[in-house]
Amino acid sequence: VQLQASGGGLVQAGGSLSLSCVASAAIFNVGPLGWYLQAPGKQRDLVAQIFSSGNTWYADSVKGRFTISRDIAKNTVYLQMNSLEPDDTGVYYCNAYDVMRRSDFWGQGTQVTVSS
């Protein structure tokens, strides 16, 4: 397994969850690392991304609430989710994009459910 995500669960609206994704050493540095959300019945959308430079990008829907970070020594990328809303419900996938090969690596997904 090259990407192993964990940390999902059930939380009430307004609560917090933290997701973690451990990457194999071979792919941790291939390019940007990100978290995608696939809400029920919807496509998989990028919500946060961290680049090799350390710069980050967030979808408008999560700005100010979610924080993506990484621990290079642990080959791990994190997603801290605060002020969760019911619309944040879905399966979260961690992703590594191989810039050279223009290909994606995906974790297995972790379920986040936010109750109203």
Side-chain angles (χ1 to χ4, degrees), residues 37-116:
L37 165 63
Q38 187 160 20
K42 296 185 178 181
Q43 67 181 23
R44 194 177 298 185
D45 289 326
L46 180 64
V47 297
Q49 197 169 43
I50 186 165
F51 298 90
S52 301
S53 63
N55 290 340
T56 57
W57 176 91
Y58 297 95
D60 287 343
S61 59
V62 306
K63 279 182 182 176
R65 301 187 299 120
F66 289 12
T67 302
I68 189 170
S69 62
R70 64 184 179 182
D71 186 330
I72 295 173
K74 296 181 179 179
N75 289 348
T76 301
V77 59
Y78 304 96
L79 186 67
Q80 177 64 40
M81 305 184 292
N82 298 327
S83 302
L84 282 160
E85 304 169 354
D87 284 347
D88 297 322
T89 293
V91 179
Y92 284 76
Y93 295 90
C94 61
N95 167 275
Y97 180 67
D98 188 330
V99 176
M100 294 296 292
R101 296 174 177 77
R102 299 182 182 181
S103 62
D104 289 288
F105 296 92
W106 295 98
Q108 84 283 14
T110 184
Q111 176 71 42
V112 171
T113 303
V114 184
S115 63
S116 57

Side-chain angles (χ1 to χ4, degrees), residues 3-20:
L3 289 167
Q4 184 73 39
S6 62
L10 173 64
V11 66
Q12 288 188 331
S16 298
L17 281 175
S18 181
L19 307 182
S20 299

